[in-house]
Amino acid sequence: MIYIEVTFTMEDTGMFRDLLVDALGNDGPYESFVETKDGVKAYVQENLFDKHFLEVTVETFPVPLKYTVEEMEDKNWNEEWEKGHQAVLVEYNGGSVWVRAPFHPHRDDVSYELLIEPKMSFGTAHHPTTYMMLSYVAELDMQGKRVLDMGCGTAVLAILAKMRGAGYVEGVDIDEWAFNNARENAASNGVEIELKLGDANSLAGHFDVIIANINRNILLADMDKYVAVLNAGGTLLLSGFYEADEQALLTKANTLGLVFKGKKNRDGWAALQLVK
Protein backbone atom coordinates (compact mmCIF):
# COMPACT_ATOMS: atom_id res chain seq x y z
CA MET A 1 0.00 0.00 0.00
CA ILE A 2 1.34 3.44 -0.95
CA TYR A 3 1.22 6.23 1.63
CA ILE A 4 1.64 9.98 1.43
CA GLU A 5 3.83 11.67 4.04
CA VAL A 6 2.99 15.30 4.84
CA THR A 7 5.58 17.07 6.98
CA PHE A 8 4.24 20.08 8.89
CA THR A 9 6.38 22.69 10.62
CA MET A 10 5.24 25.51 12.91
CA GLU A 11 6.96 28.16 15.01
CA ASP A 12 5.12 27.29 18.24
CA THR A 13 4.17 23.64 18.72
CA GLY A 14 2.74 23.91 22.26
CA MET A 15 -0.88 22.85 22.14
CA PHE A 16 -1.01 23.41 18.37
CA ARG A 17 0.66 20.11 17.47
CA ASP A 18 -2.16 18.25 19.24
CA LEU A 19 -4.78 20.45 17.55
CA LEU A 20 -3.29 19.67 14.15
CA VAL A 21 -3.25 15.92 14.82
CA ASP A 22 -6.88 16.14 15.94
CA ALA A 23 -7.87 18.04 12.78
CA LEU A 24 -6.08 15.62 10.46
CA GLY A 25 -7.05 12.41 12.25
CA ASN A 26 -10.58 13.07 13.44
CA ASP A 27 -11.79 15.38 10.67
CA GLY A 28 -9.65 13.88 7.94
CA PRO A 29 -8.31 10.56 6.66
CA TYR A 30 -4.82 10.64 8.23
CA GLU A 31 -3.95 7.43 10.08
CA SER A 32 -0.72 7.95 11.96
CA PHE A 33 1.56 10.70 13.18
CA VAL A 34 5.16 11.16 14.29
CA GLU A 35 6.16 14.16 16.39
CA THR A 36 9.17 16.17 15.20
CA LYS A 37 11.09 18.94 16.94
CA ASP A 38 9.13 21.67 15.19
CA GLY A 39 5.93 19.96 14.07
CA VAL A 40 4.60 16.61 12.99
CA LYS A 41 4.73 14.10 10.14
CA ALA A 42 1.30 12.83 9.08
CA TYR A 43 0.55 9.76 6.96
CA VAL A 44 -2.43 9.00 4.75
CA GLN A 45 -3.15 6.33 2.15
CA GLU A 46 -2.50 7.62 -1.36
CA ASN A 47 -6.04 6.90 -2.53
CA LEU A 48 -7.44 8.93 0.41
CA PHE A 49 -5.14 11.92 0.03
CA ASP A 50 -7.20 15.08 -0.54
CA LYS A 51 -5.18 18.15 -1.55
CA HIS A 52 -8.17 20.45 -1.02
CA PHE A 53 -8.70 19.18 2.55
CA LEU A 54 -5.00 19.74 3.24
CA GLU A 55 -5.06 23.30 1.90
CA VAL A 56 -8.21 24.21 3.84
CA THR A 57 -6.75 22.78 7.04
CA VAL A 58 -3.58 24.85 6.61
CA GLU A 59 -5.47 28.03 5.68
CA THR A 60 -7.86 27.83 8.63
CA PHE A 61 -5.35 26.69 11.25
CA PRO A 62 -4.86 29.21 14.09
CA VAL A 63 -1.08 29.51 13.58
CA PRO A 64 0.96 29.57 10.34
CA LEU A 65 1.90 26.15 8.96
CA LYS A 66 4.46 25.12 6.38
CA TYR A 67 4.27 21.69 4.79
CA THR A 68 5.83 19.38 2.24
CA VAL A 69 4.22 16.37 0.57
CA GLU A 70 6.10 13.21 -0.36
CA GLU A 71 4.96 9.85 -1.76
CA MET A 72 6.34 7.00 0.30
CA GLU A 73 7.75 3.75 -1.00
CA ASP A 74 5.22 0.91 -1.23
CA LYS A 75 5.82 -1.26 1.85
CA ASN A 76 4.05 -3.25 4.51
CA TRP A 77 3.80 -0.24 6.81
CA ASN A 78 2.37 -2.15 9.76
CA GLU A 79 5.43 -4.39 9.68
CA GLU A 80 7.75 -1.41 9.29
CA TRP A 81 6.08 0.42 12.20
CA GLU A 82 6.38 -2.64 14.42
CA LYS A 83 10.09 -2.85 13.64
CA GLY A 84 10.62 0.75 14.71
CA HIS A 85 8.26 0.81 17.69
CA GLN A 86 10.25 -0.37 20.70
CA ALA A 87 8.96 -1.43 24.10
CA VAL A 88 10.08 0.77 27.00
CA LEU A 89 11.48 -0.18 30.39
CA VAL A 90 10.73 2.51 32.98
CA GLU A 91 13.02 2.15 35.98
CA TYR A 92 12.17 3.77 39.30
CA ASN A 93 13.18 3.50 42.95
CA GLY A 94 12.23 -0.04 43.88
CA GLY A 95 11.32 -1.60 40.56
CA SER A 96 10.51 -1.29 36.89
CA VAL A 97 7.57 -0.98 34.49
CA TRP A 98 7.60 -2.73 31.11
CA VAL A 99 5.39 -0.91 28.58
CA ARG A 100 4.90 -2.97 25.44
CA ALA A 101 2.66 -3.35 22.41
CA PRO A 102 1.01 -6.72 21.58
CA PHE A 103 3.86 -7.67 19.24
CA HIS A 104 6.57 -7.19 21.93
CA PRO A 105 7.69 -10.03 24.22
CA HIS A 106 6.29 -10.60 27.70
CA ARG A 107 8.69 -10.19 30.63
CA ASP A 108 8.60 -11.87 34.06
CA ASP A 109 11.47 -9.89 35.57
CA VAL A 110 9.63 -6.57 36.01
CA SER A 111 7.37 -5.14 38.70
CA TYR A 112 4.56 -4.23 36.31
CA GLU A 113 3.84 -4.94 32.67
CA LEU A 114 1.47 -2.76 30.67
CA LEU A 115 0.08 -3.82 27.30
CA ILE A 116 -0.54 -0.64 25.31
CA GLU A 117 -1.83 -0.46 21.74
CA PRO A 118 -0.82 3.15 20.99
CA LYS A 119 -2.63 3.83 17.69
CA MET A 120 -2.94 7.65 17.46
CA SER A 121 -3.07 8.37 21.20
CA PHE A 122 -0.34 9.91 23.32
CA GLY A 123 1.19 7.75 26.02
CA THR A 124 3.58 4.92 25.16
CA ALA A 125 6.38 5.82 27.64
CA HIS A 126 8.70 6.81 24.78
CA HIS A 127 8.19 10.49 25.55
CA PRO A 128 10.17 11.76 28.57
CA THR A 129 7.04 13.19 30.21
CA THR A 130 5.19 9.87 30.14
CA TYR A 131 8.31 8.10 31.43
CA MET A 132 8.56 10.49 34.40
CA MET A 133 4.87 10.29 35.22
CA LEU A 134 4.95 6.49 35.13
CA SER A 135 7.82 6.54 37.61
CA TYR A 136 5.82 8.88 39.89
CA VAL A 137 2.75 6.64 39.76
CA ALA A 138 4.94 3.62 40.48
CA GLU A 139 6.70 5.27 43.44
CA LEU A 140 3.80 7.01 45.21
CA ASP A 141 1.19 5.31 47.39
CA MET A 142 -1.89 4.52 45.27
CA GLN A 143 -3.50 1.95 47.56
CA GLY A 144 -7.21 2.66 47.88
CA LYS A 145 -6.83 6.17 46.41
CA ARG A 146 -9.24 7.95 44.11
CA VAL A 147 -7.16 8.82 41.05
CA LEU A 148 -7.89 11.11 38.09
CA ASP A 149 -5.85 10.87 34.89
CA MET A 150 -6.56 14.13 33.06
CA GLY A 151 -5.90 13.99 29.32
CA CYS A 152 -5.42 10.25 29.67
CA GLY A 153 -4.48 9.43 26.06
CA THR A 154 -3.78 5.68 25.95
CA ALA A 155 -4.65 5.51 29.70
CA VAL A 156 -1.20 4.12 30.44
CA LEU A 157 -0.94 6.15 33.67
CA ALA A 158 -4.48 5.30 34.78
CA ILE A 159 -3.87 1.61 34.13
CA LEU A 160 -0.69 1.59 36.22
CA ALA A 161 -2.47 3.44 39.05
CA LYS A 162 -5.16 0.75 39.07
CA MET A 163 -2.55 -2.02 39.02
CA ARG A 164 -0.93 -0.39 42.04
CA GLY A 165 -4.10 -0.68 44.09
CA ALA A 166 -6.01 2.54 43.45
CA GLY A 167 -9.62 2.12 44.50
CA TYR A 168 -11.25 4.27 41.83
CA VAL A 169 -9.53 5.52 38.68
CA GLU A 170 -11.05 7.95 36.20
CA GLY A 171 -9.56 8.87 32.84
CA VAL A 172 -10.71 11.94 30.93
CA ASP A 173 -9.76 12.97 27.40
CA ILE A 174 -11.23 15.43 24.94
CA ASP A 175 -10.26 13.27 21.96
CA GLU A 176 -12.76 10.54 20.98
CA TRP A 177 -10.01 8.46 19.39
CA ALA A 178 -8.04 8.53 22.66
CA PHE A 179 -11.20 7.70 24.62
CA ASN A 180 -11.81 4.57 22.54
CA ASN A 181 -8.12 3.60 22.62
CA ALA A 182 -8.06 4.00 26.43
CA ARG A 183 -11.08 1.73 26.76
CA GLU A 184 -9.39 -0.96 24.65
CA ASN A 185 -6.16 -0.71 26.63
CA ALA A 186 -7.96 -0.96 29.97
CA ALA A 187 -9.67 -4.15 28.78
CA SER A 188 -6.39 -5.59 27.46
CA ASN A 189 -4.80 -5.09 30.88
CA GLY A 190 -7.77 -6.48 32.78
CA VAL A 191 -8.47 -3.33 34.83
CA GLU A 192 -11.63 -1.32 35.39
CA ILE A 193 -11.32 2.41 34.76
CA GLU A 194 -14.11 4.96 34.50
CA LEU A 195 -13.49 6.73 31.19
CA LYS A 196 -15.11 10.00 30.21
CA LEU A 197 -15.04 12.13 27.08
CA GLY A 198 -14.58 15.80 27.95
CA ASP A 199 -12.29 18.44 29.41
CA ALA A 200 -11.60 20.04 32.79
CA ASN A 201 -14.96 21.82 32.75
CA SER A 202 -16.69 18.45 33.14
CA LEU A 203 -14.85 17.38 36.30
CA ALA A 204 -16.93 16.31 39.29
CA GLY A 205 -16.32 14.47 42.56
CA HIS A 206 -13.09 14.51 44.53
CA PHE A 207 -9.73 12.79 44.12
CA ASP A 208 -6.69 11.94 46.22
CA VAL A 209 -4.31 11.96 43.25
CA ILE A 210 -4.65 13.91 40.01
CA ILE A 211 -2.32 13.22 37.08
CA ALA A 212 -2.16 15.75 34.23
CA ASN A 213 0.39 15.18 31.47
CA ILE A 214 -0.84 17.66 28.88
CA ASN A 215 1.01 20.89 27.98
CA ARG A 216 1.98 24.16 29.60
CA ASN A 217 -0.89 26.30 28.33
CA ILE A 218 -3.65 23.88 29.26
CA LEU A 219 -2.12 23.19 32.67
CA LEU A 220 -1.96 26.90 33.46
CA ALA A 221 -5.52 27.42 32.28
CA ASP A 222 -7.02 24.42 34.09
CA MET A 223 -4.96 24.06 37.26
CA ASP A 224 -7.64 25.78 39.35
CA LYS A 225 -10.18 23.22 38.15
CA TYR A 226 -7.88 20.37 39.22
CA VAL A 227 -7.42 21.95 42.65
CA ALA A 228 -11.19 22.31 43.05
CA VAL A 229 -11.65 18.53 42.91
CA LEU A 230 -8.45 17.58 44.78
CA ASN A 231 -8.88 16.48 48.38
CA ALA A 232 -6.96 18.29 51.13
CA GLY A 233 -3.57 16.61 51.42
CA GLY A 234 -4.00 15.22 47.90
CA THR A 235 -1.25 15.05 45.28
CA LEU A 236 -1.21 16.80 41.90
CA LEU A 237 1.30 15.47 39.35
CA LEU A 238 1.96 17.74 36.38
CA SER A 239 4.03 17.21 33.23
CA GLY A 240 4.01 17.97 29.53
CA PHE A 241 6.23 21.05 29.67
CA TYR A 242 9.90 21.98 29.37
CA GLU A 243 12.26 22.65 32.28
CA ALA A 244 12.21 26.32 31.29
CA ASP A 245 8.48 26.41 32.06
CA GLU A 246 8.78 25.06 35.61
CA GLN A 247 8.66 28.46 37.28
CA ALA A 248 5.49 29.50 35.48
CA LEU A 249 3.75 26.34 36.70
CA LEU A 250 5.10 26.76 40.25
CA THR A 251 3.98 30.39 40.40
CA LYS A 252 0.46 29.40 39.37
CA ALA A 253 0.47 26.52 41.86
CA ASN A 254 1.49 28.86 44.66
CA THR A 255 -1.45 31.18 44.00
CA LEU A 256 -3.74 28.17 44.38
CA GLY A 257 -2.26 27.12 47.70
CA LEU A 258 -0.35 24.12 46.41
CA VAL A 259 2.92 23.11 48.06
CA PHE A 260 5.92 21.98 46.02
CA LYS A 261 7.08 18.48 47.04
CA GLY A 262 9.50 17.50 44.30
CA LYS A 263 10.28 17.33 40.60
CA LYS A 264 11.80 15.14 37.94
CA ASN A 265 13.69 16.17 34.81
CA ARG A 266 14.45 14.13 31.71
CA ASP A 267 15.87 15.26 28.36
CA GLY A 268 14.86 18.88 28.93
CA TRP A 269 11.32 18.06 30.07
CA ALA A 270 9.93 18.42 33.59
CA ALA A 271 7.39 16.86 35.98
CA LEU A 272 6.20 18.40 39.24
CA GLN A 273 4.79 16.86 42.42
CA LEU A 274 2.50 19.25 44.32
CA VAL A 275 0.34 18.78 47.42
CA LYS A 276 -2.85 20.62 48.42
Side-chain angles (χ1 to χ4, degrees), residues 150-166:
M150 195 67 214
C152 64
T154 63
V156 64
L157 301 174
I159 291 168
L160 181 59
K162 191 66 177 179
M163 286 182 173
R164 298 210 60 248

Side-chain angles (χ1 to χ4, degrees), residues 110-125:
V110 294
S111 307
Y112 302 95
E113 180 175 276
L114 280 67
L115 183 61
I116 301 296
E117 181 71 69
K119 295 187 177 179
M120 285 166 48
S121 306
F122 181 81
T124 60

Side-chain angles (χ1 to χ4, degrees), residues 232-249:
T235 297
L236 176 61
L237 300 173
L238 301 177
S239 195
F241 51 92
Y242 296 108
E243 290 181 47
D245 295 320
E246 285 179 11
Q247 192 54 55
L249 273 297

Side-chain angles (χ1 to χ4, degrees), residues 116-124 130 149-159 171-186 193 195-196 211 213-214:
I116 301 296
E117 181 71 69
K119 295 187 177 179
M120 285 166 48
S121 306
F122 181 81
T124 60
T130 311
D149 184 2
M150 195 67 214
C152 64
T154 63
V156 64
L157 301 174
I159 291 168
V172 178
D173 204 291
I174 197 170
D175 190 306
E176 186 172 1
W177 184 283
F179 170 82
N180 291 327
N181 185 208
R183 184 167 53 189
E184 294 170 358
N185 286 328
I193 296 172
L195 293 165
K196 297 182 179 180
I211 308 162
N213 183 17
I214 309 179

